[in-house]
Amino acid sequence: MEQFKGQSRLPKFAVPKRYDITLKPDLTGCSFGGSVAVHLDIVCDTRFIVLNAADLSVDAASVSFASSKVLFKPWKVETFEEDGILVLEFGETLPVGSGVLGIGFEGILNDKMKGFYTSTYEHNGEKKNMAVTQFEPVDARRCFPCWDEPAWKATFKIRLDDVPSELVALSNMPVVEEKVHGHLKTVSFQESPIMSTYLVAVVVGLFDYVEDRTSDGVKVRVYCQVGKANQGKFALNVAAKTLEFYRDYFSVPYSLPKLDMVAIPDFPGAMENYGLVTYQETDLLFDEQHSAAANKQRVATVVAHELAHQWFGNLVTMEWWTHLWLNEGFATWVSYLATDSLFPEWKMWTKFLDEITRGLKLDGLEGSHPIEVEINHASEVDEIFDAISYRKGASVIQMLQNYLGAECFQVGPLRSLASYITKHASSNAKTEDLWAALQEGSGEPVNKLMNSWTQQKGYPVISVKVKDQKLEFDQTQFYSSGSQGDGQWIVPITLCSGSYDVRKSFLLQKKSETFDVKEFLGCSIAGTGCRGSLCSWIKVNVDQTGFYRVKYEEELSAALRSAIEKKHLSATDRFGVLDDSFALSMACQQSFASLLTLLGAYREELDCTVLSHLIPISYKLATIAADAVPDLLDLINQLFIGLFQYSAEKLSWEPKSGESHLDAMLRGDILTALAVFGHDLTIDEASRRFHAFLDDRNTPLLPPDIRKAVYVAVMQRVSMSKRSGYESLLRVYRETDLREEKTRILRSLASCPDPNIILEFLNFLLSSEVRRQDAALGLSVSSKGRETAWTWLKDNWEHISETWSSGYLLRFVSAIISPLASFEKVKEVDEFFKVHPDPSITRTLKQSIEWVQINAKWVQSVGSEKNLADIVKELAHRKY
């Protein structure tokens, strides 16, 4: 049996074809019993059957294998918990051919939000349990013994016994029979189509629902807690329309007779289970009176993402976790396509820049990983559900679509995506299968082009220079640390010059390439001493469709800064220039002073996506300045207040009749920024509105879109000696039953500048008053609370690591360690985790330590910049 330990994959002795699963959940005792009959094929001579099981008590006496009327009983049954495998050893060789493996088992309905677990809710003032499954990536094995790898697809017949008769029981397929026996019932479900184990789902609880149907008759329901049905109507409408959009886009109909979406009080995000999609409440429910515009947009994009998986992931499934990005990257990209189709006024493709930026941020680390990452053990899978698989994956698809053209993806003669889905339906695929379909549809060497983006980590920075009317492009691997890697890519370069009417594109296939400006652009570059037609500016990576950064020589940078001030650049390109300059400054390849000077060009910026990115950049710059040049912090805060006042005055506090969804979202962000930077007038007005809200929770003075801004502003004046704002917000938290409001308050409380309040709040996060999936929302503390949070994490690590599963531990580690900014802290963190090792956080810990090193180096660099004080004073006092 030892031969099977420590292996990355299960041996291929047997192939499952159908699971008959019976589960008997005990919601009062938080346990379950069950049995599984697996119809399988033995494909080679073997005395072993090896499958997955974890945290289950397998009844050895119940285990049998029946083949051709012969019953085989194993002489040894052993579970290896570390590997999550169950090994059955028989006394004789099992015959090749079909048979049925029977296993009885018991388990605990755990509180870890994985496997088969309990979530709590209140009904008529009484606390109750519901039973929920969450199997992705490798936790179906915690509910029933199975071949828990995506390639082992099978069909599933599920029956639930002893379900309290008043409760709703749901699974992937419709109910075919329900038998009531007094206060209990047995619920049997239709056999599923072929699918992977991680997509199996069961939910048992008390629910209301709203219902709709698509134009082709698919029944769509949103289930939620009793009394919240109206909050499910927006998601229901989005879901019905999105199913129709994907049906047409992929030229393949949705393959199940129903789609249920369920809001679960305790749930780690959202999960695309086939036909039974599960969500945390904030990702599915929208309250017209109390929800913010940002939450409406989030609900739409999350629903669109999960429903994309019904095709990309469920119908066609990655062969192994190495190809996770095929599921997540594509679903992320196409969710923007669907949401943009439903809500064109939201400008979703500008918002997509946030996805690109998050991918670039993580992939700028030396501790990043390729999109196609080798997975050698189930314990490694959680860590790749990250910005590389999701955001970089989506970004390279967007880059490829921009290069090939949208018609190749969907409306070309071969409809490449439809071809891919049809060919691999009810089966598994690898990255090269998608490339082959797109290559066939486009005639372009897609595999060659994309391998450099998926099989190596990182991305290039393209340096652009003009010398003697020659335009030079040079690529080097970009690292946020300032180091240079040795990667090289085939880069789709796009650029425009002086106008969006003058565009050029080419593939940069070598390390560098040079063009004659006049021949290439039809003009000369201004400021280089040449006469004739002049190009006032050059922008490379037009509309940020390429996954790379651009570094311009000083003259070209100055021209772009002027183009931004004169509003000659699109919002996407203004975003791109800002983000690249920020990244280059962080890597100490551009001065802090020059970045602050560039920010001045954005004083009259009004685009929601650009400003929503400028705000966190300004927070980061203020934090670095506080560590590097604390004497200048007041002036830098003053500079940022001046930066955002124009947009604040345009938006004002009061919503305008008929204003856009984007303005409604932006108002709160701008007011929050002014409060964080200490703008007294903003904090005073926020305090006035907050006290009106405390007197009347329905006051029009505090609509949902500005609540977070007001809460953050209130916390800026909270201290141990002035606690009333903190206590009042805790009271609001305890009184509301709206999940969105609770999470809004948790994020706001973390912004307090008083470290003692931060410590008290962090301890509150560990209390029973905060649901486990919500605790991570309060970890992004103010810059003055970073040291306190790190000490708190060390003091509570044993409890935290025992209470939260690995997926959530990653958030604790990243949120608290990454903002630290000294070389002493690098040493501290490293030494602490040598004493407290945890293999499930290895990659994330390495990345977090790298961020501390990057921050420390940046602080050191800013502290040594000459003339920085003079430049800051001039910018802070400049009149516009």
Side-chain angles (χ1 to χ4, degrees):
M1 284 192 167
E2 294 295 316
Q3 64 183 298
F4 303 114
K5 294 174 67 175
Q7 301 299 309
S8 60
R9 308 278 292 263
L10 292 171
K12 298 178 180 179
F13 302 146
V15 178
K17 297 296 184 181
R18 190 183 92 198
Y19 293 83
D20 293 339
I21 302 167
T22 299
L23 295 171
K24 187 187 294 186
D26 178 358
L27 297 180
T28 304
C30 295
S31 63
F32 66 95
S35 63
V36 61
V38 189
H39 299 253
L40 53 79
D41 290 340
I42 301 293
V43 295
C44 63
D45 290 341
T46 180
R47 292 190 302 110
F48 296 94
I49 294 179
V50 184
L51 63 164
N52 294 113
D55 297 339
L56 295 175
S57 176
V58 173
D59 178 7
S62 73
V63 180
S64 65
F65 178 72
S67 174
S68 302
K69 300 182 181 179
V70 178
L71 189 67
F72 297 87
K73 298 288 286 185
W75 72 274
K76 194 170 184 181
V77 176
E78 190 164 351
T79 301
F80 296 97
E81 286 291 344
E82 191 171 322
D83 295 305
I85 60 171
L86 172 65
V87 182
L88 312 176
E89 183 175 358
F90 295 85
E92 55 192 301
T93 300
L94 301 176
V96 171
S98 61
V100 179
L101 173 67
I103 304 174
F105 53 89
E106 293 180 339
I108 300 297
L109 288 173
N110 69 75
D111 58 0
K112 304 279 190 184
M113 292 184 290
K114 66 179 183 178
F116 203 11
Y117 73 93
T118 56
S119 175
T120 61
Y121 62 101
E122 278 195 10
H123 180 62
N124 293 333
E126 184 181 353
K127 188 175 180 180
K128 293 181 175 292
N129 290 331
M130 64 174 69
V132 185
T133 57
Q134 167 55 28
F135 291 163
E136 190 179 30
V138 290
D139 292 317
R141 64 192 68 182
R142 300 180 194 280
C143 182
F144 59 95
C146 56
W147 278 256
D148 198 14
E149 296 177 4
W152 298 109
K153 284 189 160 187
T155 63
F156 296 82
K157 286 184 71 175
I158 295 173
R159 190 182 82 197
L160 299 177
D161 285 348
D162 292 356
V163 175
S165 56
E166 74 278 10
L167 300 185
V168 175
L170 302 169
S171 188
N172 305 84
M173 299 299 289
V175 173
V176 291
E177 185 178 50
E178 190 170 296
K179 293 181 179 178
V180 179
H181 318 283
H183 297 300
L184 301 174
K185 62 183 177 182
T186 297
V187 185
S188 300
F189 299 92
Q190 184 179 324
E191 184 173 348
S192 77
I194 189 170
M195 63 184 187
S196 302
T197 50
Y198 77 88
L199 296 168
V200 176
V202 167
V203 176
V204 179
L206 191 63
F207 297 104
D208 273 348
Y209 69 86
V210 287
E211 180 181 313
D212 197 0
R213 285 183 184 270
T214 63
S215 59
D216 53 348
V218 177
K219 184 192 292 182
V220 184
R221 285 181 175 179
V222 172
Y223 287 87
C224 51
Q225 287 185 59
V226 173
K228 295 186 176 183
N230 283 338
Q231 296 178 32
K233 288 182 177 179
F234 175 69
L236 178 70
N237 182 51
V238 169
K241 291 179 177 177
T242 300
L243 283 180
E244 294 171 354
F245 175 84
Y246 289 148
R247 175 197 66 201
D248 296 340
Y249 186 78
F250 296 129
S251 299
V252 177
Y254 175 66
S255 53
L256 300 188
K258 62 93 174 174
L259 173 73
D260 293 330
M261 305 196 299
V262 191
I264 308 295
D266 303 281
F267 197 79
M271 176 60 207
E272 67 267 20
N273 315 299
Y274 221 167
L276 179 58
V277 186
T278 40
Y279 301 81
Q280 62 182 2
E281 290 185 330
T282 51
D283 287 343
L284 188 65
L285 304 183
F286 177 77
D287 186 312
E288 290 289 349
Q289 185 178 355
H290 297 291
S291 290
N295 195 60
K296 188 175 193 176
Q297 186 167 298
R298 176 163 179 79
V299 168
T301 52
V302 173
V303 168
H305 179 106
E306 301 310 324
L307 298 197
H309 281 308
Q310 307 302 306
W311 285 262
F312 249 82
N314 300 7
L315 186 60
V316 180
T317 311
M318 71 225 156
E319 191 276 336
W320 179 238
W321 299 108
T322 292
H323 307 282
L324 172 68
W325 86 278
L326 276 180
N327 280 20
E328 301 302 349
F330 193 88
T332 300
W333 177 78
V334 82
S335 69
Y336 278 79
L337 199 69
T339 309
D340 183 62
S341 172
L342 296 182
F343 305 101
E345 70 277 12
W346 290 1
K347 300 180 181 177
M348 290 303 297
W349 287 114
T350 306
K351 184 68 176 170
F352 185 76
L353 295 170
D354 291 340
E355 305 291 346
I356 298 174
T357 298
R358 291 173 71 178
L360 289 168
K361 180 180 178 183
L362 180 54
D363 210 28
L365 297 180
E366 295 179 53
S368 181
H369 63 81
I371 285 179
E372 295 181 71
V373 58
E374 197 62 39
I375 297 296
N376 297 309
H377 196 274
S379 64
E380 300 173 6
V381 180
D382 270 334
E383 287 198 284
I384 65 163
F385 281 79
D386 62 5
I388 301 302
S389 298
Y390 285 74
R391 276 91 196 187
K392 183 180 181 182
S395 300
V396 299
I397 288 170
Q398 169 73 346
M399 179 171 66
L400 179 61
Q401 193 222 30
N402 187 67
Y403 176 70
L404 296 179
E407 64 280 357
C408 168
F409 265 52
Q410 194 241 342
V411 296
L414 290 176
R415 298 174 71 91
S416 300
L417 292 179
S419 171
Y420 167 82
I421 289 172
T422 302
K423 181 176 181 179
H424 299 285
S426 301
S427 186
N428 298 87
K430 298 180 179 180
T431 300
E432 50 264 36
D433 297 319
L434 178 60
W435 297 158
L438 290 168
Q439 187 159 307
E440 186 178 358
S442 67
E444 293 282 347
V446 174
N447 200 55
K448 178 185 176 185
L449 171 66
M450 296 309 292
N451 280 348
S452 68
W453 295 97
T454 64
Q455 294 181 1
Q456 65 178 334
K457 69 180 180 182
Y459 56 86
V461 54
I462 308 299
S463 296
V464 185
K465 299 177 183 176
V466 177
K467 187 175 182 180
D468 300 327
Q469 289 300 305
K470 300 288 185 184
L471 192 57
E472 300 177 0
F473 296 86
D474 184 78
Q475 64 161 302
T476 54
Q477 184 165 2
F478 178 83
Y479 282 132
S480 295
S481 64
S483 303
Q484 281 197 3
D486 55 5
Q488 190 169 318
W489 289 261
I490 300 176
V491 189
I493 300 289
T494 56
L495 69 151
C496 55
S497 178
S499 162
Y500 284 94
D501 296 329
V502 182
R503 294 184 182 227
K504 292 288 180 180
S505 61
F506 68 95
L507 281 180
L508 179 62
Q509 302 192 57
K510 300 179 290 185
K511 191 176 185 304
S512 59
E513 201 149 346
T514 302
F515 298 91
D516 182 273
V517 172
K518 189 104 177 182
E519 290 179 13
F520 191 56
L521 298 176
C523 62
S524 301
I525 303 297
T528 59
C530 291
R531 298 183 180 183
S533 177
L534 295 179
C535 302
S536 55
W537 50 267
I538 290 178
K539 171 65 176 65
V540 177
N541 196 10
V542 180
D543 290 330
Q544 300 305 111
T545 54
F547 193 77
Y548 55 88
R549 298 202 180 280
V550 183
K551 180 181 181 181
Y552 302 91
E553 66 177 356
E554 178 51 39
E555 282 190 359
L556 295 178
S557 291
L560 279 174
R561 190 162 61 243
S562 174
I564 292 168
E565 287 177 333
K566 294 173 182 175
K567 299 182 172 56
H568 290 168
L569 297 189
S570 66
T572 51
D573 283 329
R574 297 196 303 274
F575 183 107
V577 172
L578 171 67
D579 191 58
D580 286 347
S581 296
F582 174 62
L584 290 165
S585 180
M586 181 186 295
C588 304
Q589 295 182 28
Q590 177 181 314
S591 72
F592 193 80
S594 67
L595 177 57
L596 292 179
T597 302
L598 172 67
L599 297 191
Y602 293 83
R603 280 179 180 265
E604 294 186 4
E605 181 62 62
L606 289 174
D607 181 83
C608 177
T609 303
V610 178
L611 278 170
S612 293
H613 191 47
L614 184 57
I615 289 166
I617 285 177
S618 65
Y619 292 159
K620 181 67 176 182
L621 296 182
T623 300
I624 292 296
D627 292 338
V629 284
D631 293 347
L632 297 179
L633 185 58
D634 287 345
L635 281 172
I636 286 175
N637 285 343
Q638 185 178 327
L639 186 159
F640 289 137
I641 288 170
L643 183 60
F644 297 118
Q645 275 188 307
Y646 178 84
S647 52
E649 288 168 6
K650 287 287 185 183
L651 292 166
S652 77
W653 280 87
E654 300 298 336
K656 298 176 179 63
S657 176
E659 74 177 1
S660 73
H661 164 87
L662 297 176
D663 281 350
M665 289 202 306
L666 180 58
R667 177 178 292 106
D669 289 345
I670 292 292
L671 293 172
T672 301
L674 288 174
V676 168
F677 291 122
H679 187 237
D680 287 329
L681 292 177
T682 298
I683 296 174
D684 290 343
E685 178 63 14
S687 180
R688 182 182 77 84
R689 290 171 180 260
F690 182 61
H691 284 99
F693 174 70
L694 293 179
D695 293 336
D696 174 13
R697 298 300 162 82
N698 295 312
T699 177
L701 288 174
L702 200 57
D705 290 316
I706 63 168
R707 281 190 195 168
K708 185 187 175 187
V710 166
Y711 297 164
V712 169
V714 166
M715 289 304 297
Q716 299 315 295
R717 290 180 178 168
V718 166
S719 65
M720 290 300 284
S721 59
K722 294 181 180 178
R723 300 173 50 90
S724 63
Y726 176 63
E727 300 290 355
S728 296
L729 274 172
L730 283 179
R731 188 166 71 251
V732 176
Y733 176 90
R734 287 164 176 146
E735 290 173 359
T736 185
D737 68 346
L738 185 68
R739 305 260 6 114
E740 181 188 340
E741 179 76 340
K742 285 185 180 290
T743 60
R744 186 157 46 217
I745 291 169
L746 291 177
R747 288 188 171 101
S748 303
L749 292 172
S751 69
C752 184
D754 187 317
N756 293 311
I757 294 289
I758 289 294
L759 178 59
E760 189 174 324
F761 168 62
L762 290 170
N763 288 329
F764 175 72
L765 292 178
L766 301 182
S767 74
S768 59
E769 292 191 69
V770 179
R771 289 187 183 270
R772 288 188 179 175
Q773 85 264 16
D774 292 343
L777 301 176
L779 298 175
S780 297
V781 301
S782 65
S783 61
K784 292 181 179 177
R786 288 174 294 166
E787 179 75 33
T788 299
W790 166 231
T791 301
W792 171 84
L793 183 68
K794 289 186 290 184
D795 291 344
N796 292 279
W797 180 252
E798 186 175 345
H799 169 69
I800 291 168
S801 59
E802 288 174 358
T803 304
W804 279 269
S805 59
S806 60
Y808 273 88
L809 275 186
L810 305 179
R811 302 188 197 184
F812 278 84
V813 169
S814 178
I816 290 176
I817 294 173
S818 297
L820 300 174
S822 73
F823 294 112
E824 292 76 17
K825 285 290 175 284
V826 171
K827 186 178 179 183
E828 268 185 43
V829 173
D830 188 54
E831 288 177 351
F832 178 81
F833 284 101
K834 279 180 180 175
V835 179
H836 303 87
D838 185 335
S840 71
I841 63 169
T842 300
R843 189 189 300 273
T844 301
L845 178 61
K846 181 182 178 184
Q847 292 167 349
S848 299
I849 291 173
E850 187 176 347
W851 276 120
V852 184
Q853 293 170 323
I854 290 166
N855 292 336
K857 185 178 177 183
W858 196 9
V859 166
Q860 207 172 57
S861 172
V862 172
S864 62
E865 269 192 40
K866 295 179 180 179
N867 303 320
L868 179 60
D870 293 337
I871 293 169
V872 168
K873 286 173 187 174
E874 194 273 326
L875 291 172
H877 294 119
R878 183 181 291 177
K879 301 296 181 185
Y880 290 86

